[in-house]
Amino acid sequence: AGWSGLIYVLVFVGSSIPVADSPALGHPAVDFREWFESSQIPIALTTWGGGLSLSLLFLLFASGLRSLLKPVDEDNAGMWSRLSFAGAIIMVAIGTTKATFWAVLSLDNIRSSASDDIITTLAAFDGVAVAALLPWGVSAFLLGASVVILQSGVMAKWLGWLGMFTVFQFIISTLW
């Protein structure tokens, strides 16, 4: 499970770099049309490479982490390890949905016939999925794991504190 987590991070980061210059929320539809037209290969890498790595590798990692955490989470009836795994499933659901918006926008026949309102609406859904929804899934995943790590010492305590700090940052940035 640990290796799947490491490979996931490498594939996810590697598939995200080619699309780092995508237009941001609030850009006009013409910017999105031009970017999706000129970025077909990077979008395919991100949608399929990032999406598949999230779905397969991350779930393998999360399942392995739950197997590690559950036995030491018995004082809480396994609540925190279940919360962590539920957060992982939420992350996969949001990530897959986000990838779907990009996949739709990358289709030539959709992009060429869609109105500017449809293009900007799909782009807005993508932005909301990443900025407003995904942090809650990440926070549930990290909070559950961090509580078990800090209570049990099953892993280095600094990982638990790092997870808690990250949860705090995600919640503040989402609410801000």
Side-chain angles (χ1 to χ4, degrees):
W3 283 106
S4 64
L6 180 62
I7 294 168
Y8 158 74
V9 169
L10 294 174
V11 171
F12 183 76
V13 170
S15 68
S16 298
I17 291 171
V19 294
D21 65 339
S22 63
L25 188 61
H27 278 241
V30 68
D31 290 352
F32 288 101
R33 284 183 203 278
E34 290 173 1
W35 186 79
F36 276 95
E37 179 69 34
S38 65
S39 304
Q40 291 294 304
I41 293 174
I43 292 167
L45 286 173
T46 297
T47 302
W48 297 108
L52 288 175
S53 71
L54 182 66
S55 297
L56 300 175
L57 296 171
F58 184 70
L59 280 179
L60 283 172
F61 171 73
S63 295
L65 181 63
R66 182 164 190 260
S67 295
L68 178 70
L69 298 178
K70 188 177 182 311
V72 295
D73 190 27
E74 291 304 316
D75 290 345
N76 301 303
M79 176 184 72
W80 294 108
S81 59
R82 283 194 312 269
L83 175 67
S84 180
F85 191 68
I89 292 170
I90 291 168
M91 289 171 63
V92 169
I94 292 169
T96 304
T97 303
K98 181 234 180 294
T100 302
F101 295 133
W102 273 34
V104 168
L105 284 169
S106 70
L107 297 172
D108 290 333
N109 60 335
I110 299 292
R111 194 178 53 256
S112 64
S113 65
S115 69
D116 286 354
D117 288 341
I118 290 174
I119 298 287
T120 54
T121 299
L122 284 173
F125 278 134
D126 174 72
V128 168
V130 171
L133 300 177
L134 190 60
W136 294 106
V138 173
S139 294
F141 172 69
L142 291 176
L143 178 65
S146 296
V147 167
V148 175
I149 290 168
L150 291 171
Q151 286 181 346
S152 69
V154 69
M155 297 172 81
K157 295 237 184 204
W158 67 267
L159 287 171
W161 289 115
L162 179 63
M164 288 294 201
F165 177 73
T166 305
V167 167
F168 177 74
Q169 284 188 311
F170 270 125
I171 290 172
I172 294 300
S173 69
T174 302
L175 296 175
W176 191 262

